[in-house]
Structure formats: C-alpha cells, structure tokens
Amino acid sequence: MQIKDNVFVVTGGASGLGAATAKMIVERGGKAVLVDVNPQAGAAVEAELGANARFVQTDVTSDESARNAFAAAQSMGQLRGLVNC
C-alpha cells in the first residue's frame, strides 16, 4: 500500500499502538487523522507529529462522531485507509 501522500484514520490514535501507527504513517509521508476520546493526549500527539497529523475527538460508538472524523479526514486529501487500534 502506498502511504506517501495518502490519508489514514487511526482509531485510538492518542496513545499506545495507535499513536505509534500514526507516527509511522507521518514518517513515511502520509497524513494521519488521530481519532480518540482523550483530548489532552490527542492534542499532544498531534503537536508532536506536526502538520501531517490532525486530532479529532471522536467516540467511535457514535455514528455522528465517526462521520465528523471521516469528514475531517477527507478534507486532508485522498482517504486510503482505516487502522483500528
């Protein structure tokens, strides 16, 4: 899969495996949308990863919340993947 110049949504992106996955995506030239319920941790990971990462506070059990996250992802470019962590 081509990571460079593509957008990926990473659930649980504010910590642990999700944050590590988002970092790998950004390091390889992709863009990561970090979806998580923890706003402090999400903002910290977004700041660490820079312009190619965006945190969207998201409750994946809510349809509306998930739709908002995917709308944010699509605004960043071509959405190519979803990684559930």
Side-chain angles (χ1 to χ4, degrees):
M1 174 178 288
Q2 179 69 24
I3 292 175
K4 187 174 180 179
D5 299 325
N6 288 306
V7 179
F8 298 85
V9 172
V10 182
T11 65
S15 64
L17 182 60
T21 300
K23 182 177 180 180
M24 180 272 304
I25 290 168
V26 170
E27 286 175 345
R28 291 192 168 105
K31 297 177 183 177
V33 179
L34 316 163
V35 299
D36 204 293
V37 295
N38 186 329
Q40 293 82 15
V45 174
E46 177 186 54
E48 176 188 339
L49 297 181
N52 284 332
R54 180 180 299 168
F55 170 69
V56 180
Q57 186 174 1
T58 306
D59 175 355
V60 296
T61 67
S62 163
D63 288 345
E64 182 179 349
S65 186
R67 281 190 193 102
N68 290 338
F70 278 90
Q74 290 174 325
S75 75
M76 293 178 70
Q78 184 65 44
L79 180 59
R80 289 290 185 197
L82 166 66
V83 182
N84 288 306
C85 293

